[in-house]
Amino acid sequence: MFYGTTNLFRKMNVPNHIKPAIGGLMTGIIGFFMPYTLAFEYGMAQEAIFNQLTIPVLLGLALGKIFTTSFSIGSGGSGGVFGPSVVIRGAIGGAVGQFFHMFLPTVVTQPGAFVIVGMAGFFTAVSNTPISTIIFVSEMTNSYHLLLPSLLVCSVCYLLSTKWSIYENQVKSRVDSPLHAGEFMIDILQTIKVEKLKHLIKNVRCLNQDMPFSQFKQIFQTTKQRYFPVMKDQGELCGIFSSTDVREVLFSNELEQLVVMKDIMVSTMITTTLSEDLNTVLLKLTKKNIDALPVVDEDDPGKFIGMLYRRDIIAYYNLHVAKIRESEG
């Protein structure tokens, strides 16, 4: 009813400042015949808890509040849906409680309890927030005696209404929330170790530290590799350099006969191990503004395993998040 009315007013071919006036007129007509639907009806919700309202009044209050809220807000007026939903859910719950009390008085001895449980169940369906709804309804009523039935009702209402919500822009989970995107990404990355990406670690060509630059130049012309690990004679990793580090020598014919890989490489390199989490790896990559890290053995830092690239980490993360969303869906 709420969004149907909203869409109806959007389609009206009248100036926008006239629409709230029309909505106000419709609200006033309802209020003329049922004035209690226009007030801020927390007081009537309290009366319903103490069984001071009849079933027709409760149903009229719930139905009238649905229409007055839809006309007043849906036409472009200012207001919220939380207050009206408290009244609607409490009134419907009270009507249900009194109805069963009439026919089963020995079973339903406290029809006012249905008001409180109705509040929790209805707003759970409206907002898809079962846990927080149970808590604030219990706090509003200053009682946790109805916690168990509220849990049951809210669970049923949530399961039946997961496809709908009165809050159209509400995301289904923190995974889908732009506000928590960075926080969620960090949480996920911290749970994934480099070892899970072992199949994505690239085997690259390693160079001997004494290799002349002239020999490397021939290799460089035939490869798309950007990072080059440098090894000692014993096969121990001792440094690394990138394709950007060789620019000065690349166009100097005089130097290429004198320079060896040991002269170009960076010996104080940043590495990672299979036991490190991906968040730590990305921090290292970001800190140095590089695209790949050498993966080394944790017990023997000189033992080179391969190169782990930033793009592979991000691709793995996106795939991991997609699987989480599929499982939640």
Side-chain angles (χ1 to χ4, degrees):
M1 180 64 193
F2 181 80
Y3 283 113
T5 305
T6 302
N7 293 332
L8 180 64
F9 275 99
R10 284 175 181 170
K11 294 177 182 177
M12 281 187 179
N13 192 21
V14 295
N16 286 335
H17 61 275
I18 300 296
K19 294 179 182 179
I22 298 173
L25 176 63
M26 301 299 294
T27 302
I29 293 173
I30 297 173
F32 180 80
F33 295 100
M34 294 186 293
Y36 48 83
T37 61
L38 299 182
F40 198 62
E41 302 296 346
Y42 284 143
M44 296 198 72
Q46 188 172 2
E47 291 178 17
I49 294 175
F50 294 109
N51 303 319
Q52 296 174 354
L53 301 177
T54 62
I55 292 178
V57 172
L58 289 169
L59 293 178
L61 175 61
L63 190 62
K65 206 68 177 174
I66 289 174
F67 280 94
T68 55
T69 302
S70 299
F71 284 130
S72 59
I73 302 176
S75 62
S78 177
V81 295
F82 174 77
S85 66
V86 171
V87 179
I88 295 167
R89 61 189 187 244
I92 295 175
V96 171
Q98 290 195 29
F99 176 81
F100 282 106
H101 180 68
M102 289 171 56
F103 295 98
L104 301 169
T106 56
V107 177
V108 182
T109 58
Q110 299 292 333
F114 281 69
V115 177
I116 299 172
V117 177
M119 287 181 181
F122 186 85
F123 196 71
T124 293
V126 165
S127 62
N128 290 335
T129 53
I131 303 301
S132 58
T133 301
I134 293 170
I135 293 173
F136 78 66
V137 167
S138 299
E139 288 292 331
M140 284 174 62
T141 56
N142 197 27
S143 173
Y144 283 87
H145 295 298
L146 296 173
L147 187 61
L148 191 59
S150 295
L151 281 168
L152 175 61
V153 171
C154 287
S155 299
V156 174
C157 290
Y158 177 71
L159 291 174
L160 293 176
S161 63
T162 49
K163 294 182 180 180
W164 304 280
S165 172
I166 202 167
Y167 301 110
E168 285 186 322
N169 295 324
Q170 176 183 349
V171 295
K172 289 296 181 183
S173 67
R174 293 170 74 93
V175 183
D176 306 296
S177 171
L179 180 64
H180 298 94
E183 172 188 334
F184 181 79
M185 183 176 183
I186 292 174
D187 290 342
I188 291 293
L189 291 172
Q190 286 177 341
T191 63
I192 304 173
K193 304 297 183 183
V194 174
E195 190 171 8
K196 288 188 177 181
L197 279 71
K198 204 169 183 179
H199 61 288
L200 297 176
I201 298 175
K202 300 291 191 296
N203 291 319
V204 296
R205 182 164 186 171
C206 299
L207 309 174
N208 188 277
Q209 63 177 351
D210 298 321
M211 176 186 288
F213 187 82
S214 56
Q215 183 180 344
F216 166 74
K217 192 174 180 180
Q218 297 175 359
I219 297 172
F220 189 65
Q221 290 174 347
T222 59
T223 183
K224 294 182 179 180
Q225 186 174 322
R226 287 188 58 196
Y227 293 91
F228 298 88
V230 180
M231 301 290 183
K232 293 180 180 179
D233 293 333
Q234 299 82 9
E236 181 182 349
L237 180 68
C238 60
I240 192 171
F241 66 90
S242 70
S243 56
T244 57
D245 296 328
V246 301
R247 288 178 179 175
E248 293 183 3
V249 185
L250 192 62
F251 302 103
S252 176
N253 295 327
E254 297 80 9
L255 289 176
E256 69 177 37
Q257 301 300 326
L258 303 174
V259 173
V260 294
M261 298 298 98
K262 187 177 181 180
D263 300 324
I264 302 173
M265 73 178 193
V266 178
S267 57
T268 56
M269 54 189 168
I270 300 176
T271 61
T272 184
T273 63
L274 296 176
S275 62
E276 273 193 334
D277 62 81
L278 296 188
N279 182 53
T280 304
V281 175
L282 280 180
L283 286 175
K284 289 180 177 181
L285 290 168
T286 306
K287 185 178 179 181
K288 290 294 184 180
N289 193 25
I290 52 179
D291 295 322
L293 278 182
V295 182
V296 298
D297 188 87
E298 190 168 7
D299 299 323
D300 183 8
K303 185 178 180 181
F304 177 70
I305 298 174
M307 296 294 295
L308 181 61
Y309 288 81
R310 185 200 298 261
R311 63 176 179 270
D312 292 326
I313 296 174
I314 296 174
Y316 184 88
Y317 167 79
N318 290 333
L319 181 63
H320 189 77
V321 171
K323 289 180 179 178
I324 294 176
R325 285 175 174 164
E326 286 177 8
S327 63
E328 289 184 347

